[in-house]
Amino acid sequence: DSAYSDAALGFESLKRDTQFGDVVPYYLAQIYYKTSRYTELIDLANDILNREEVVRRDEIEHLVADAYYRKAKYTDAAIHFERYKELGKSFRQQDHYQLGYSYYQMGRYSEAIQSFNKITQANGPLAQDAWYHLGDCYLKTNDKAKALTAFSSASKTEGNAELTQQARFIFAKLNYELDGPYEAVDKVIQDYLSDYPNSSNKKELNSLLAQLY
């Protein structure tokens, strides 16, 4: 956006101004964020956060956490989301998801589970993605019963069609392994094969069906 670019140039020229120099970085941080200039935002934010007195620390922590997340630097993202949280600021659903996904990428599955479980959004891609990754966290911590419930929820939550299909496949396999605690194993598998006749998972599920009979 040219308006943001012009504003950035204007603020950058005021960086060393004795009257405005202290407040300029905060406006620049917002502009860098809105224009997806995440590397510049991270450099600027780290400079601000290293100062003895930081005005709007919570705002800067939040912006830099999101910037690191978008650059797939999940360890740094988690650090800044945690600092933002420590400042007593309320987390949005998106924040819980991003922190949870950062933990997930770091292999900190127990903490990821805590974050994903705080997402109360009933529908949509964010909720579905959270359920799906929650299921995978439970698998990685060897809690298949809870994984089954999470993948069931992921498969029934509106969102991404490919993720729905993958969640239903994992649910069908887990349902087989756990001997159908909620739904008849053969029906779950047959429903999947009926809805996805060209699935690459067809052979594996037909094999499970054969073992059932």
Side-chain angles (χ1 to χ4, degrees), residues 30-93:
Q30 293 282 357
I31 291 168
Y32 289 157
Y33 181 76
K34 289 180 188 294
T35 52
S36 304
R37 291 162 66 179
Y38 299 124
T39 301
E40 288 162 284
L41 168 58
I42 287 166
D43 290 342
L44 177 65
N46 283 328
D47 178 52
I48 295 170
L49 293 169
N50 283 329
R51 297 176 183 178
E52 279 185 35
E53 296 224 1
V54 182
V55 182
R56 300 181 188 171
R57 179 181 288 277
D58 56 330
E59 215 174 293
I60 300 299
E61 290 287 8
H62 196 254
L63 289 176
V64 77
D66 195 62
Y68 274 125
Y69 181 86
R70 289 171 190 273
K71 288 178 70 67
K73 294 189 173 182
Y74 298 112
T75 301
D76 291 312
I79 288 167
H80 289 279
F81 274 122
E82 285 165 355
R83 287 179 185 169
Y84 175 71
K85 202 174 186 180
E86 282 165 11
L87 291 167
K89 297 301 168 181
S90 60
F91 257 38
R92 305 168 302 171
Q93 299 283 289

Side-chain angles (χ1 to χ4, degrees), residues 11-168:
F11 281 121
E12 281 163 358
S13 68
L14 290 170
K15 266 184 179 177
R16 288 172 181 78
D17 185 277
T18 52
Q19 191 176 352
F20 302 109
D22 286 346
V23 296
V24 162
Y26 303 101
Y27 293 111
L28 268 177
Q30 293 282 357
I31 291 168
Y32 289 157
Y33 181 76
K34 289 180 188 294
T35 52
S36 304
R37 291 162 66 179
Y38 299 124
T39 301
E40 288 162 284
L41 168 58
I42 287 166
D43 290 342
L44 177 65
N46 283 328
D47 178 52
I48 295 170
L49 293 169
N50 283 329
R51 297 176 183 178
E52 279 185 35
E53 296 224 1
V54 182
V55 182
R56 300 181 188 171
R57 179 181 288 277
D58 56 330
E59 215 174 293
I60 300 299
E61 290 287 8
H62 196 254
L63 289 176
V64 77
D66 195 62
Y68 274 125
Y69 181 86
R70 289 171 190 273
K71 288 178 70 67
K73 294 189 173 182
Y74 298 112
T75 301
D76 291 312
I79 288 167
H80 289 279
F81 274 122
E82 285 165 355
R83 287 179 185 169
Y84 175 71
K85 202 174 186 180
E86 282 165 11
L87 291 167
K89 297 301 168 181
S90 60
F91 257 38
R92 305 168 302 171
Q93 299 283 289
Q94 183 79 20
D95 298 329
H96 285 305
Y97 175 81
Q98 289 181 316
L99 180 56
Y101 189 78
S102 297
Y103 286 144
Y104 173 82
Q105 289 291 337
M106 294 159 71
R108 291 164 62 177
Y109 301 118
S110 296
E111 288 156 296
I113 286 168
Q114 288 177 26
S115 289
F116 287 137
N117 269 320
K118 286 188 170 71
I119 295 167
T120 54
Q121 197 170 304
N123 255 318
L126 183 79
Q128 185 190 41
D129 222 59
W131 278 119
Y132 185 89
H133 285 97
L134 181 62
D136 201 38
C137 286
Y138 282 131
L139 280 183
K140 286 178 164 63
T141 53
N142 205 31
D143 193 338
K144 289 185 177 180
K146 284 184 180 174
L148 182 74
T149 303
F151 283 115
S152 173
S153 294
S155 72
K156 293 170 185 171
T157 304
E158 289 174 21
N160 178 288
E162 284 182 27
L163 204 61
T164 299
Q165 181 177 344
Q166 185 61 15
R168 282 186 63 182

